[in-house]
């Protein structure tokens, strides 16, 4: 690609946004980044700091994005209820597109996830879905902010004549500090605490998830699919599941993660033991670990998202996805899942965020 391709990465400090920004920059794109706060991102050619919930503020700030040719929308804002999730997140994406209505936009990609198939936070996993999850599956009844975001995307694509793609990752695996949904970093912190405190590495989730086939999404493979869809005409106006391409069971991957950290695994009792409860003392323990190993002084609350890993690991139904839509069009990227976790763990050690 050439410098004529100008990407606007919305949510550039998160997992999907940061990996996509780096991927595009390495391929010669001009990268414009957007987040709520002013940040210095190595892959960014131009940064816009704005809260998209502020329509007037967004309109003013987006005057600096009138040249973008591609949008990669990788953000959302969690609210107290799903009705509020729908209202706020639809408003945010609408404010974005209204703010760049005059830009020479060719394509816009929206990153959502498996709540498309499993339901909203207010009614999560109370379905018996067909597995693997099919991209052709109809929407579930009831409010869902992913659907609301899609509806705005479809409306604006039709109004302004650009193509769209929707990307539905499973649990995201990658390295970023401060992300609210980051299982790899959460498990690294959990294992480090267990090792420091002499506790066994207990699988905290449900027997259904422990024994079932499942999959995850490396942030690198998501970035590859986003780039591919934006530059492949045949991929226009299509939803895509995106996962690593392999499947696994926690029955054996949990032991492999424990082996990486050299921490003993407790025999699984079959009971759910939420990390949010068992790690209630994590802040104090982590402070001791940071001091003992001279680590970066990052509060454990910015590293571990106990609630999100609890939600993923405690589901009582099988969850894995089908990638037919992109596979038949030629997208063949593949990422072994154990390496997804180990690469994040290695980076955390290299940057002195967790003990070596």
């Amino acid at each position: 690609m050439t410098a004529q391709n100008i990407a606007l990465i919305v949510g550039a400090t998160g997992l999907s946004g940061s990996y996509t920004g780096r991927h595009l920059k390495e391929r010669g794109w001009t990268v414009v980044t957007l987040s709520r706060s002013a940040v210095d991102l190595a892959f960014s050619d131009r940064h816009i700091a704005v809260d998209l919930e502020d329509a007037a503020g967004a309109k003013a700030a987006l005057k600096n994005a009138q040249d973008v040719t591609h949008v990669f929308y990788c953000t959302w804002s969690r609210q107290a209820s799903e009705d509020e999730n729908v209202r706020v997140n639809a408003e945010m994406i609408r404010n974005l597109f209204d703010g760049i209505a005059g830009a020479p936009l060719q394509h816009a990609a929206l990153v959502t996830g498996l709540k498309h198939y499993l339901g909203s936070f207010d009614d999560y996993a109370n379905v018996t879905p067909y597995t693997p999850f099919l991209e052709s599956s109809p929407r579930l009844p009831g409010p869902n902010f992913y659907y609301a975001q899609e509806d705005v995307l479809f409306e604006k694509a039709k109004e302004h004549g650009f193509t769209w793609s929707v990307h539905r990752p499973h649990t995201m695996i990658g390295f970023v500090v401060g992300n609210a949904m980051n299982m790899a970093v959460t498990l690294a912190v959990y294992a480090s605490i267990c090792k420091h405190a002499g506790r066994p590495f207990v699988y905290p989730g449900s027997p259904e998830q422990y024994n079932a086939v499942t999959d995850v999404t490396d942030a690198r493979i998501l970035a590859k699919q986003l780039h591919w869809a934006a530059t492949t005409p045949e991929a226009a106006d299509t939803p895509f599941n995106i996962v690593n391409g392999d499947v696994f069971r926690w029955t054996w991957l949990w032991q492999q993660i424990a082996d990486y950290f050299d921490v003993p695994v407790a025999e699984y009792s079959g009971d759910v033991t939420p990390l949010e409860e068992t790690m209630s003392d994590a802040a104090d323990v982590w402070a001791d670990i940071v001091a003992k190993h001279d680590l970066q002084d990052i509060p454990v609350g910015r590293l571990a998202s106990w609630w999100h890993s609890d939600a993923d690991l405690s589901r009582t139904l099988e969850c894995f996805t089908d990638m037919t839509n992109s596979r038949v069009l030629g997208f063949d990227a593949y990422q072994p899942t154990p390496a997804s976790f180990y690469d994040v763990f290695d980076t955390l050690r290299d940057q002195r965020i967790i003990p070596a």
Side-chain angles (χ1 to χ4, degrees):
M1 306 307 293
T2 71
Q4 292 178 328
N5 291 281
I6 304 174
L8 175 61
I9 312 291
V10 183
T13 60
L15 267 175
S16 53
S18 61
Y19 276 78
T20 301
R22 283 192 293 270
H23 185 83
L24 295 176
K25 185 65 177 175
E26 290 167 359
R27 282 148 187 80
W29 288 54
T30 297
V31 176
V32 182
T33 53
L34 187 152
S35 66
R36 285 185 177 89
S37 57
V39 291
D40 183 14
L41 301 169
F43 57 85
S44 178
D45 294 293
R46 186 194 323 156
H47 186 73
I48 299 170
V50 66
D51 184 348
L52 289 177
E53 294 181 45
D54 176 2
K59 184 176 181 180
L62 288 166
K63 290 178 181 179
N64 202 25
Q66 297 304 309
D67 57 346
V68 300
T69 59
H70 296 74
V71 165
F72 299 88
Y73 195 92
C74 308
T75 193
W76 66 287
S77 178
R78 188 174 184 182
Q79 304 298 311
S81 69
E82 193 59 20
D83 286 338
E84 277 299 288
N85 278 334
V86 167
R87 183 187 67 80
V88 169
N89 285 282
E91 182 181 79
M92 288 171 61
I93 193 169
R94 184 176 298 279
N95 289 341
L96 181 280
F97 283 117
D98 286 348
I100 57 170
L105 199 58
Q106 300 171 23
H107 181 83
L110 169 65
V111 177
T112 61
L114 293 199
K115 284 186 288 296
H116 185 93
Y117 308 108
L118 291 169
S120 69
F121 284 116
D122 286 359
D123 192 29
Y124 185 66
N126 289 322
V127 293
T128 306
Y130 180 96
T131 52
F133 299 138
L134 301 178
E135 294 141 324
S136 58
S137 298
R139 291 179 173 182
L140 299 173
N144 188 314
F145 80 87
Y146 285 166
Y147 306 159
Q149 288 179 315
E150 286 183 343
D151 287 343
V152 175
L153 174 68
F154 303 155
E155 173 195 332
K156 293 300 181 180
K158 183 177 181 180
E159 180 181 347
H160 297 290
F162 57 82
T163 60
W164 58 265
S165 58
V166 175
H167 303 258
R168 300 168 185 160
H170 196 169
T171 300
M172 291 284 292
I173 305 299
F175 169 75
V176 70
V177 173
N179 184 263
M181 299 187 293
N182 196 332
M183 180 181 285
V185 177
T186 298
L187 294 185
V189 170
Y190 175 42
S192 299
I193 289 174
C194 288
K195 186 172 184 177
H196 173 81
R199 306 175 188 176
F201 191 51
V202 177
Y203 179 79
S206 67
E208 290 87 352
Q209 279 301 293
Y210 187 64
N211 293 295
V213 167
T214 190
D215 51 24
V216 296
T217 305
D218 192 300
R220 294 170 293 192
I221 207 166
L222 171 60
K224 290 176 182 178
Q225 193 192 60
L226 284 163
H227 175 234
W228 167 83
T231 56
T232 302
E234 296 79 10
D237 304 337
T238 307
F240 299 108
N241 288 335
I242 176 62
V243 286
N244 284 356
D246 62 0
V247 292
F248 68 93
R249 299 179 197 271
W250 284 111
T251 50
W252 55 262
L253 185 58
W254 195 258
Q255 180 66 60
Q256 291 188 15
I257 292 173
D259 290 344
Y260 177 98
F261 288 99
D262 191 25
V263 62
V265 173
E267 182 177 351
Y268 179 54
S269 68
D271 298 322
V272 176
T273 53
L275 293 172
E276 200 158 28
E277 296 177 8
T278 61
M279 290 289 103
S280 60
D281 62 345
D284 291 338
V285 177
W286 192 251
D288 291 341
I289 293 173
V290 168
K292 178 179 178 180
H293 297 276
D294 192 26
L295 304 179
Q296 289 192 50
D297 190 9
I298 303 172
V300 73
R302 291 197 65 226
L303 296 173
S305 48
W306 308 122
W307 68 271
H308 183 261
S309 293
D310 281 340
D312 273 7
L313 297 175
S314 298
R315 291 179 296 208
T316 57
L317 44 81
E318 184 178 66
C319 299
F320 67 101
T321 64
D322 177 86
M323 288 180 58
T324 293
N325 281 0
S326 58
R327 293 299 191 218
V328 298
L329 293 175
F331 181 76
D332 60 1
Y334 174 86
Q335 168 65 42
T337 288
S340 291
F341 282 95
Y342 302 155
D343 289 350
V344 174
F345 300 159
D346 288 346
T347 301
L348 290 167
R349 283 181 165 176
D350 290 344
Q351 297 200 13
R352 302 199 60 77
I353 294 174
I354 64 171

